[in-house]
């Protein structure tokens, strides 16, 4: 059953200093939580040890508070659905991986990113994953029967390592949702997005899996995030279904561009909250200036 209480979340990754785009999306999340007398959760998405740094993690609290954000649950304030650091929630992701594996939704894949690019040859944007050509798809039957299940090797943490585990999308099926900001969104599995990784070969749970497990476990009723994640929402809806979890509502915010029309990224140091603060910017004026981006 859907939660009646509004629960929103801020889910930054400490892979760089947060910029104005993040802050305006978070501001929108805060406004929506307040309007609904709800709760706002801060969850730090620090799963990728190669990209996350503790200085960025520590900066998140300071930069977000400077911008005017406040949260009711989080690593620094506690709460009943913790821990709020993804690096401390591995057991939950592993349990979900086991369920997906037992139910035949995922398969091991030995293709490297380069293999996938070579096989697809399609142009791809930096942020979008190319459609997986299906090279390793046949390695496990689509649905594992009860008899076959009994013959599977025991599922252990070690079984996740060394290969990527991919979710088999239902080719040709439409996936739809009603975005609270953008309206009806629809994509076709296998055409607009392909089989995606839920557990990486270096034994790191992938973003798609972790975010679904956590949003469900933390009873998030609405996810507010940037429009660059709309395609991920389709993938995540398939995971909610496969894991038999209730999906939240989604509200995707417009992305802020720099003066050349490029979407802001953590590498745009001049628009980091840190740099803006050091340059004497006023959060209230920034919020008014960029009010359209929410
Ligand atoms: N941690 C992700 C990021 O910083 C956002 C995830 C989400 O909002 O679902 O890009």
């Amino acid at each position: 059953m859907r939660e009646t209480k509004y629960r929103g979340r801020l889910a930054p990754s400490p892979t760089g200093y947060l910029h104005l785009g993040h802050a305006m999306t978070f501001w929108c999340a805060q406004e929506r939580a307040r309007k609904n007398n709800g709760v706002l959760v801060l969850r730090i998405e620090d799963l990728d040890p190669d990209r996350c740094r503790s200085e960025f993690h520590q900066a998140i609290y300071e930069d977000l508070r400077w911008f005017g954000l406040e949260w009711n649950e989080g690593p620094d304030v506690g709460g009943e659905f913790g821990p709020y650091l993804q690096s401390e929630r591995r057991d939950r992701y592993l349990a979900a991986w086991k369920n997906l594996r037992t139910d035949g939704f995922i398969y091991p894949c030995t293709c490297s990113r380069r293999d996938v690019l070579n096989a697809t040859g399609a142009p791809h944007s930096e942020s979008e994953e190319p459609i997986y050509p299906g090279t390793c798809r046949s390695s496990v039957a689509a649905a594992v029967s009860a008899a076959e299940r009994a013959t599977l090797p025991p599922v252990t943490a070690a079984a996740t390592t060394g290969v990527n585990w991919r979710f088999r999308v239902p080719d040709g099926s439409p996936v739809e949702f009603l975005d609270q900001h953008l309206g009806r969104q629809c994509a076709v599995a296998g055409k607009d997005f392909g089989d995606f990784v839920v557990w990486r070969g270096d034994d790191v749970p992938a973003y798609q899996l972790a975010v679904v497990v956590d949003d469900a476990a933390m009873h998030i009723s609405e996810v507010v995030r940037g429009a660059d994640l709309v395609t991920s929402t389709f993938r995540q809806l398939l995971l909610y279904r496969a894991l038999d979890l209730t999906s939240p509502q989604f509200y995707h915010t417009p992305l802020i561009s720099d003066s050349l029309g490029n979407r802001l990224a953590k590498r745009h140091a001049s628009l980091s909250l840190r740099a803006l603060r050091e340059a004497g910017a006023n959060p209230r004026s920034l919020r008014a200036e960029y009010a359209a981006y929410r």
Side-chain angles (χ1 to χ4, degrees):
M1 221 176 74
R2 190 177 291 287
E3 283 287 299
T4 48
K5 185 164 178 64
Y6 184 102
R7 289 179 56 85
R9 47 62 151 193
L10 316 175
S13 303
T15 53
Y17 290 117
L18 296 180
H19 58 62
L20 205 49
H22 298 114
M24 284 313 298
T25 296
F26 293 165
W27 186 255
C28 175
Q30 176 163 295
E31 282 188 319
R32 291 183 65 78
R34 286 191 175 161
K35 196 177 82 189
N36 290 287
N37 284 323
V39 160
L40 198 57
V41 174
L42 174 66
R43 181 175 72 230
I44 305 289
E45 306 215 318
D46 59 346
L47 277 178
D48 189 340
D50 296 337
R51 296 179 60 224
C52 295
R53 299 224 312 252
S54 80
E55 70 200 83
F56 297 138
H57 178 183
Q58 290 320 313
I60 285 174
Y61 306 100
E62 208 178 288
D63 293 350
L64 292 186
R65 286 206 169 92
W66 170 75
F67 195 74
L69 291 155
E70 289 167 10
W71 44 96
N72 311 92
E73 297 173 26
D76 55 339
V77 293
E80 89 181 271
F81 298 99
Y84 294 94
L85 300 180
Q86 285 194 325
S87 56
E88 295 176 3
R89 300 177 62 82
R90 185 185 160 90
D91 52 337
R92 280 112 170 146
Y93 312 136
L94 196 54
W97 172 85
K98 284 180 187 171
N99 286 340
L100 291 173
R101 190 188 162 204
T102 309
D103 293 342
F105 285 108
I106 56 174
Y107 59 89
C109 169
T110 51
C111 300
S112 65
R113 199 172 159 73
R114 171 94 355 242
D115 295 336
V116 176
L117 288 176
N118 289 343
T120 53
H124 63 285
S125 72
E126 192 187 338
S127 53
E128 247 334 301
E129 213 175 294
I131 305 238
Y132 181 64
T135 323
C136 295
R137 238 188 184 199
S138 57
S139 60
V140 175
V144 182
S145 70
E148 286 167 327
R149 212 172 277 176
T151 65
L152 281 173
V155 178
T156 62
T160 58
T161 58
V163 291
N164 290 310
W165 286 82
R166 279 186 193 273
F167 185 91
R168 181 199 318 268
V169 303
D171 281 343
S173 295
V175 185
E176 283 187 16
F177 67 98
L178 182 62
D179 189 279
Q180 301 302 300
H181 184 57
L182 302 173
R184 184 156 300 283
Q185 301 293 303
C186 183
V188 176
K191 178 170 163 281
D192 297 316
F193 63 96
D195 293 358
F196 55 90
V197 173
V198 297
W199 205 285
R200 294 175 8 185
D202 57 358
D203 199 24
V204 175
Y207 157 69
Q208 308 291 356
L209 180 66
V211 83
V212 164
V213 168
D214 287 347
D215 283 334
M218 295 178 182
H219 297 256
I220 300 303
S221 61
E222 183 179 78
V223 166
V224 177
R225 61 185 174 201
D228 53 325
L229 289 168
V230 168
T231 306
S232 283
T233 299
F234 295 117
R235 298 185 181 104
Q236 290 165 25
L237 285 169
L238 293 177
L239 282 177
Y240 279 104
R241 226 185 274 166
L243 291 165
D244 206 13
L245 297 169
T246 304
S247 58
Q249 307 267 32
F250 293 93
Y251 183 112
H252 290 92
T253 58
L255 303 176
I256 301 187
S257 307
D258 66 12
S259 52
L260 299 172
N262 299 315
R263 169 161 86 77
L264 282 196
K266 283 178 179 149
R267 59 181 178 275
H268 286 82
S270 60
L271 286 174
S272 73
L273 298 180
R274 201 132 274 239
L276 289 165
R277 177 165 50 141
E278 278 159 14
N282 177 326
R284 183 190 289 265
S285 320
L286 288 171
R287 294 195 308 254
E289 187 182 341
Y290 288 91
Y293 293 97
R294 63 197 159 90

